[in-house]
Short mmCIF file of all heavy atoms in Angstrom, two decimals:
data_model
loop_
_atom_site.label_atom_id
_atom_site.label_comp_id
_atom_site.label_asym_id
_atom_site.label_seq_id
_atom_site.Cartn_x
_atom_site.Cartn_y
_atom_site.Cartn_z
N VAL Z 14 0.90 -1.30 7.24
CA VAL Z 14 2.23 -1.14 7.84
C VAL Z 14 2.93 -2.49 7.94
O VAL Z 14 4.13 -2.61 7.62
CB VAL Z 14 2.10 -0.49 9.24
CG1 VAL Z 14 3.43 -0.54 9.99
CG2 VAL Z 14 1.64 0.96 9.11
N TYR Z 20 7.30 -6.91 3.26
CA TYR Z 20 7.68 -6.77 1.85
C TYR Z 20 8.33 -5.40 1.64
O TYR Z 20 7.72 -4.49 1.06
CB TYR Z 20 6.45 -6.91 0.94
CG TYR Z 20 5.88 -8.31 0.89
CD1 TYR Z 20 4.93 -8.72 1.80
CD2 TYR Z 20 6.31 -9.21 -0.09
CE1 TYR Z 20 4.40 -10.01 1.75
CE2 TYR Z 20 5.78 -10.49 -0.15
CZ TYR Z 20 4.84 -10.89 0.78
OH TYR Z 20 4.32 -12.17 0.72
N ILE Z 35 0.84 -13.89 3.28
CA ILE Z 35 -0.40 -13.18 2.95
C ILE Z 35 -0.81 -12.34 4.15
O ILE Z 35 -0.92 -12.85 5.28
CB ILE Z 35 -1.51 -14.16 2.57
CG1 ILE Z 35 -1.13 -14.89 1.28
CG2 ILE Z 35 -2.85 -13.45 2.40
CD1 ILE Z 35 -2.10 -15.97 0.86
N GLU Z 73 -9.27 14.00 26.36
CA GLU Z 73 -9.47 14.72 25.11
C GLU Z 73 -9.78 16.17 25.44
O GLU Z 73 -10.07 16.50 26.60
CB GLU Z 73 -10.61 14.10 24.31
CG GLU Z 73 -11.95 14.14 25.01
CD GLU Z 73 -13.05 13.49 24.20
OE1 GLU Z 73 -13.17 12.25 24.28
OE2 GLU Z 73 -13.77 14.21 23.50
N GLN Z 96 -22.68 33.11 -24.20
CA GLN Z 96 -23.59 32.51 -23.21
C GLN Z 96 -22.88 31.50 -22.31
O GLN Z 96 -23.51 30.94 -21.41
CB GLN Z 96 -24.74 31.81 -23.93
CG GLN Z 96 -25.69 32.74 -24.65
CD GLN Z 96 -26.84 31.99 -25.30
OE1 GLN Z 96 -26.62 31.00 -25.99
NE2 GLN Z 96 -28.06 32.46 -25.07
N ILE Z 100 -13.42 28.23 -17.90
CA ILE Z 100 -12.60 27.96 -16.72
C ILE Z 100 -11.14 28.20 -17.07
O ILE Z 100 -10.65 27.71 -18.09
CB ILE Z 100 -12.77 26.51 -16.23
CG1 ILE Z 100 -14.25 26.11 -16.22
CG2 ILE Z 100 -12.14 26.32 -14.87
CD1 ILE Z 100 -15.11 26.91 -15.30
N PRO Z 108 -4.05 24.43 -8.74
CA PRO Z 108 -5.41 24.98 -8.84
C PRO Z 108 -6.18 24.75 -7.54
O PRO Z 108 -6.03 23.71 -6.89
CB PRO Z 108 -6.01 24.20 -10.00
CG PRO Z 108 -5.31 22.88 -9.96
CD PRO Z 108 -3.90 23.17 -9.50
N VAL Z 114 -21.48 27.81 -11.27
CA VAL Z 114 -22.16 28.40 -12.43
C VAL Z 114 -23.65 28.33 -12.19
O VAL Z 114 -24.14 27.43 -11.48
CB VAL Z 114 -21.79 27.68 -13.75
CG1 VAL Z 114 -20.32 27.87 -14.07
CG2 VAL Z 114 -22.12 26.20 -13.67
N THR Z 137 -11.70 18.97 -17.15
CA THR Z 137 -12.42 18.10 -16.21
C THR Z 137 -13.38 18.90 -15.35
O THR Z 137 -14.46 18.42 -14.99
CB THR Z 137 -11.45 17.32 -15.33
OG1 THR Z 137 -10.65 18.23 -14.55
CG2 THR Z 137 -10.53 16.44 -16.17
N ASN Z 154 -12.76 23.87 -22.15
CA ASN Z 154 -12.80 24.45 -20.82
C ASN Z 154 -14.04 25.32 -20.59
O ASN Z 154 -14.11 26.07 -19.62
CB ASN Z 154 -11.55 25.30 -20.57
CG ASN Z 154 -11.51 26.54 -21.43
OD1 ASN Z 154 -12.07 26.56 -22.53
ND2 ASN Z 154 -10.87 27.59 -20.95
N TYR Z 161 -29.64 29.67 -22.69
CA TYR Z 161 -29.56 30.39 -21.43
C TYR Z 161 -28.20 31.07 -21.30
O TYR Z 161 -27.19 30.59 -21.83
CB TYR Z 161 -29.76 29.45 -20.24
CG TYR Z 161 -31.13 28.83 -20.19
CD1 TYR Z 161 -31.35 27.56 -20.72
CD2 TYR Z 161 -32.20 29.50 -19.61
CE1 TYR Z 161 -32.61 26.98 -20.68
CE2 TYR Z 161 -33.47 28.93 -19.57
CZ TYR Z 161 -33.67 27.68 -20.10
OH TYR Z 161 -34.91 27.11 -20.07
N GLY Z 165 -20.90 32.83 -13.67
CA GLY Z 165 -20.00 32.00 -12.88
C GLY Z 165 -19.23 32.79 -11.84
O GLY Z 165 -19.12 34.01 -11.92
N ARG Z 183 -7.54 -1.73 20.93
CA ARG Z 183 -6.53 -2.81 20.91
C ARG Z 183 -6.71 -3.66 19.66
O ARG Z 183 -7.82 -3.98 19.25
CB ARG Z 183 -6.66 -3.67 22.16
CG ARG Z 183 -5.61 -4.76 22.28
CD ARG Z 183 -5.63 -5.38 23.66
NE ARG Z 183 -5.25 -4.39 24.67
CZ ARG Z 183 -5.16 -4.67 25.98
NH1 ARG Z 183 -5.43 -5.90 26.41
NH2 ARG Z 183 -4.82 -3.73 26.83
N THR Z 215 -2.79 7.11 9.31
CA THR Z 215 -4.12 6.56 9.07
C THR Z 215 -4.56 6.88 7.65
O THR Z 215 -3.91 7.65 6.95
CB THR Z 215 -5.12 7.12 10.09
OG1 THR Z 215 -5.10 8.55 10.03
CG2 THR Z 215 -4.76 6.68 11.50
N GLU Z 247 -1.98 -1.40 21.06
CA GLU Z 247 -3.03 -0.41 21.23
C GLU Z 247 -2.74 0.77 20.33
O GLU Z 247 -1.59 1.21 20.21
CB GLU Z 247 -3.11 0.05 22.69
CG GLU Z 247 -3.72 -0.99 23.61
CD GLU Z 247 -3.81 -0.51 25.04
OE1 GLU Z 247 -3.22 0.55 25.36
OE2 GLU Z 247 -4.46 -1.20 25.87
N LEU Z 248 -3.78 1.25 19.68
CA LEU Z 248 -3.67 2.43 18.83
C LEU Z 248 -4.59 3.51 19.37
O LEU Z 248 -5.78 3.25 19.62
CB LEU Z 248 -4.04 2.09 17.39
CG LEU Z 248 -2.93 1.37 16.60
CD1 LEU Z 248 -3.48 0.70 15.36
CD2 LEU Z 248 -1.84 2.36 16.22
N VAL Z 249 -4.05 4.68 19.55
CA VAL Z 249 -4.83 5.82 20.03
C VAL Z 249 -5.04 6.77 18.86
O VAL Z 249 -4.08 7.21 18.22
CB VAL Z 249 -4.10 6.56 21.18
CG1 VAL Z 249 -4.94 7.71 21.71
CG2 VAL Z 249 -3.77 5.58 22.31
N PHE Z 250 -6.31 7.08 18.57
CA PHE Z 250 -6.60 7.94 17.44
C PHE Z 250 -7.86 8.75 17.74
O PHE Z 250 -8.63 8.42 18.66
CB PHE Z 250 -6.80 7.12 16.15
CG PHE Z 250 -7.85 6.06 16.25
CD1 PHE Z 250 -9.16 6.31 15.86
CD2 PHE Z 250 -7.55 4.79 16.74
CE1 PHE Z 250 -10.14 5.33 15.94
CE2 PHE Z 250 -8.52 3.81 16.83
CZ PHE Z 250 -9.82 4.08 16.43
N VAL Z 255 -15.99 16.92 10.96
CA VAL Z 255 -15.45 17.87 9.99
C VAL Z 255 -16.57 18.75 9.46
O VAL Z 255 -17.64 18.25 9.11
CB VAL Z 255 -14.75 17.13 8.83
CG1 VAL Z 255 -14.19 18.12 7.81
CG2 VAL Z 255 -13.65 16.23 9.36
N ASP Z 260 -16.64 30.64 1.05
CA ASP Z 260 -17.01 32.05 0.97
C ASP Z 260 -18.32 32.17 0.21
O ASP Z 260 -18.75 31.24 -0.48
CB ASP Z 260 -15.92 32.84 0.25
CG ASP Z 260 -14.59 32.80 1.01
OD1 ASP Z 260 -14.63 32.65 2.24
OD2 ASP Z 260 -13.53 32.89 0.36
N THR Z 301 -9.18 12.20 0.65
CA THR Z 301 -8.96 11.11 1.59
C THR Z 301 -8.42 9.88 0.88
O THR Z 301 -7.51 9.20 1.36
CB THR Z 301 -10.26 10.78 2.33
OG1 THR Z 301 -10.71 11.93 3.04
CG2 THR Z 301 -10.06 9.63 3.31
N SER Z 308 0.15 7.56 1.61
CA SER Z 308 0.74 6.92 2.80
C SER Z 308 1.14 5.48 2.51
O SER Z 308 2.18 5.01 3.00
CB SER Z 308 -0.26 6.95 3.95
OG SER Z 308 -0.59 8.27 4.32
#
Side-chain angles (χ1 to χ4, degrees):
V14 170
Y20 290 89
I35 295 175
E73 61 182 84
Q96 292 182 312
I100 316 297
V114 295
T137 61
N154 68 332
Y161 296 96
R183 184 168 295 181
T215 55
E247 287 180 350
L248 281 163
V249 182
F250 56 93
V255 180
D260 297 332
T301 300
S308 299

